[in-house]
Amino acid sequence: MKALHIAASGMMAQELNVELISNNIANMRTTGFKRQRADFQDLLYQNLRQVGSQASDAGNVLPTGVQIGSGVRTAATPRIMSQGTVESTEKELDIAIRGEGFFRILLPDGRTAYTRDGSFERDATGQIVTANGYALDPAITVPVNATGLTISPQGAVSAVVGTATTATVLGQIQIARFVNKTGLEAIGDNLYLETASSGAAQLANPGDEAYGQLLQNHLEIANVNPVSEISDLIAAQRAYEMNSRVIRAADEMMSATIQFK
Amino acid sequence: MENAQLVGLARQATLRRQLDLIANNIANVNTNGFKAQTLLLEETRQPQASADSFLTPDRPISFVIDDANLYDFQPGQMMQTGNPTDLALDGKGWFVIQTAQGERFTRNGSFAINNEGRLVTRDGDTVLTDAGPLTLAPNEQTPTIAADGTISTNQGVRGKLRVVDFANPGELKKIGETLFEGQNPQPATLPRVVQGQIEKSNVRAVVELTRMIAVGRAYESVAKWMQDANDLRRNAIEKLATVN
């Protein structure tokens, strides 16, 4: 019976939905995390009576046909790239991006990754790196004797070095934008990679037209809204239960047929 | 006697299709822009040409067939997503999608901007504006879409979404991927485009579940009386075949 396969596709879709929601909830407090949602589509339709076909010799045309679908499939799991809440952390190397853009990170294998997670640290040589120790690109090194590190909204990193009386500019943070940022590939560790569907990264200084500004001493937390996630979770669970009811109904109908003798 | 079995079979066949349809509605309870379907059943009288001038005339028997399926075109619930490329239509109307097979229509406004800067569906098909496909430049900000469908970015007004309607939406045909196929689209009157929201499925779970229970019970009762008719026949044969 077709209903069995249709309901099974529905249960599988809701299972995936629950997986996505649980990943969103698990990353509720992950810096720079962007939530995902599941987008479903109906499957092909079987035409039992074709719309617009002739109904009689008098030339009447069927106004509607009989079409039965084959279930549901997951079309995409788009990432919602909206701005997350910005929290004050009072840590000088915590940077939030207000607006669009990603920090550029150099991975140890030479690839370039992108992130919204602005919780940076200094490594043993004074270079600005991510929490995992990957270098910010372009590299910026803060001398040991630097004090009063300041990052301007436009990305200029400056500090007072040694006994100098004025601040010197140590480097410039650049941020990247993508035509289709939802097309980025997440690789975990809060990092994304450029793909054919995201388009090439376009670098600029923060604050340039269409690029976001930086905010020092702040972090962008996940854009997960726990209330909507929980209600989505309940909806997904109920949808799963309904599909299992369909399977039971189809099973009962089959058993009514089998017991016929 | 066999007529009773045949009428029962006709009913069971339509009930099975009805369950398939309900299953498809329930499977798509979370599908954006999905429109529920119901089956329209009709009585057919057999024989069509009867010989009723005889002393014992042909008596017509009513069978049931599934004549058509009706779409429920009521709008689904609107859900706030916060995603600027999610669009919903408030009121009648359809978005026009350019596919490889031609223009198709959808109420599923879960769109994205692809690497070429085009507004596309989740399958990568282009969403059409009044002036055909719209391509945004790489340095343009995410577009703002006004209630009348006007698309503007930091480069100014870039176009207007094409929204159409049909004189008889019943003639639309589902082709899957939440797309419909239809003839003679006309520009829709006063469609209101809502940005950052999405139209969910219009499947009403309670209605579908009740229908499903009714279908299940009807199927069982048909099976029951087909069994009874069969028992009756078996009894008759056994009794009549007994000599002495």
Side-chain angles (χ1 to χ4, degrees), chain B:
Chain B
M1 195 80 105
E2 281 82 2
N3 279 334
Q5 308 285 60
L6 295 174
V7 170
L9 273 178
R11 180 66 183 129
Q12 281 187 325
T14 59
L15 282 168
R16 276 173 170 247
R17 278 201 279 277
Q18 232 171 335
L19 186 74
D20 290 345
L21 214 67
I22 293 168
N24 193 50
N25 286 346
I26 290 181
N28 284 290
V29 75
N30 274 347
T31 303
N32 297 329
F34 182 81
K35 297 293 165 208
Q37 287 169 288
T38 50
L39 207 55
L40 188 74
L41 299 176
E42 232 179 44
E43 177 190 19
T44 65
R45 308 242 307 165
Q46 297 289 344
Q48 298 283 13
S50 56
D52 42 16
S53 53
F54 296 114
L55 206 58
T56 50
D58 283 355
R59 275 176 304 170
I61 300 163
S62 288
F63 287 85
V64 63
I65 57 161
D66 36 4
D67 197 43
N69 55 232
L70 303 177
Y71 293 115
D72 178 0
F73 283 118
Q74 280 188 32
Q77 283 175 22
M78 294 290 173
M79 189 184 73
Q80 190 92 38
T81 64
N83 194 13
T85 53
D86 282 343
L87 303 176
L89 286 176
D90 183 15
K92 284 185 177 178
W94 301 84
F95 294 113
V96 186
I97 311 296
Q98 181 74 57
T99 70
Q101 289 77 38
E103 284 182 3
R104 297 290 181 267
F105 310 95
T106 189
R107 296 274 299 184
N108 177 2
S110 169
F111 300 137
I113 291 174
N114 74 359
N115 57 337
E116 292 168 341
R118 278 194 185 175
L119 192 64
V120 292
T121 65
R122 294 291 170 199
D123 282 327
D125 293 324
T126 311
V127 182
L128 293 181
T129 67
D130 280 347
L134 167 77
T135 309
L136 300 175
N139 63 341
E140 280 186 75
Q141 255 165 346
T142 313
T144 339
I145 293 154
D148 64 348
T150 310
I151 306 164
S152 33
T153 66
N154 50 348
Q155 311 280 309
V157 174
R158 296 300 315 273
K160 197 172 172 211
L161 275 177
R162 202 172 140 209
V163 182
V164 298
D165 203 2
F166 295 88
N168 177 16
E171 281 176 13
L172 285 166
K173 195 174 121 189
K174 281 192 178 193
I175 55 162
E177 293 158 14
T178 52
L179 295 179
F180 284 80
E181 202 182 308
Q183 308 295 324
N184 308 322
Q186 278 133 29
T189 45
L190 279 180
R192 200 168 74 95
V193 183
V194 191
Q195 193 177 15
Q197 287 196 20
I198 212 156
E199 184 179 337
K200 302 285 288 175
S201 170
N202 74 343
V203 173
R204 286 169 297 165
V206 181
V207 175
E208 300 298 336
L209 283 182
T210 357
R211 275 199 194 123
M212 188 182 80
I213 292 167
V215 164
R217 293 294 174 223
Y219 193 89
E220 271 174 41
S221 81
V222 174
K224 174 78 173 51
W225 63 250
M226 280 173 76
Q227 179 78 62
D228 290 349
N230 199 36
D231 289 349
L232 188 70
R233 185 163 49 175
R234 187 189 307 151
N235 274 338
I237 292 170
E238 276 170 10
K239 291 236 167 76
L240 291 172
T242 314
V243 187
N244 296 328

Side-chain angles (χ1 to χ4, degrees), chain A residues 152-174:
Chain A
S152 77
Q154 281 70 42
V157 180
S158 49
V160 179
V161 181
T163 55
T165 48
T166 52
T168 45
V169 175
L170 303 172
Q172 169 72 41
I173 297 175
Q174 287 188 322

Side-chain angles (χ1 to χ4, degrees), chain A residues 186-257:
Chain A
I187 53 165
D189 298 343
N190 293 351
L191 298 174
Y192 300 98
L193 292 181
E194 186 182 302
T195 67
S197 78
S198 70
Q202 288 156 44
L203 283 175
N205 290 341
D208 281 10
E209 195 187 10
Y211 288 77
Q213 294 186 338
L214 299 188
L215 188 60
Q216 196 190 4
N217 299 324
H218 287 78
L219 279 183
E220 181 188 2
I221 58 167
N223 67 349
V224 177
N225 178 352
V227 182
S228 72
E229 296 297 334
I230 297 291
S231 64
D232 283 355
L233 182 67
I234 294 169
Q237 192 187 347
R238 292 293 174 227
Y240 187 86
E241 280 173 19
M242 280 192 289
N243 281 295
S244 76
R245 291 280 302 267
V246 174
I247 289 194
R248 201 187 314 157
D251 178 44
E252 276 166 14
M253 275 166 69
M254 276 207 298
S255 96
T257 308

Side-chain angles (χ1 to χ4, degrees), chain A residues 46-104:
Chain A
Q46 183 187 2
N47 283 304
L48 301 175
R49 283 188 101 192
Q50 182 70 40
V51 186
S53 57
Q54 225 167 55
S56 71
D57 292 343
N60 290 350
V61 169
L62 287 180
T64 48
V66 178
Q67 287 193 294
I68 292 180
S70 330
V72 65
R73 68 157 183 185
T74 315
T77 53
R79 212 167 263 285
I80 314 298
M81 289 292 193
S82 64
Q83 176 91 42
T85 314
V86 173
E87 266 186 3
S88 167
T89 60
E90 296 178 9
K91 186 169 167 290
E92 59 183 10
L93 274 175
D94 279 349
I95 318 163
I97 301 174
R98 288 185 293 180
E100 300 204 8
F102 294 83
F103 294 110
R104 209 157 77 129

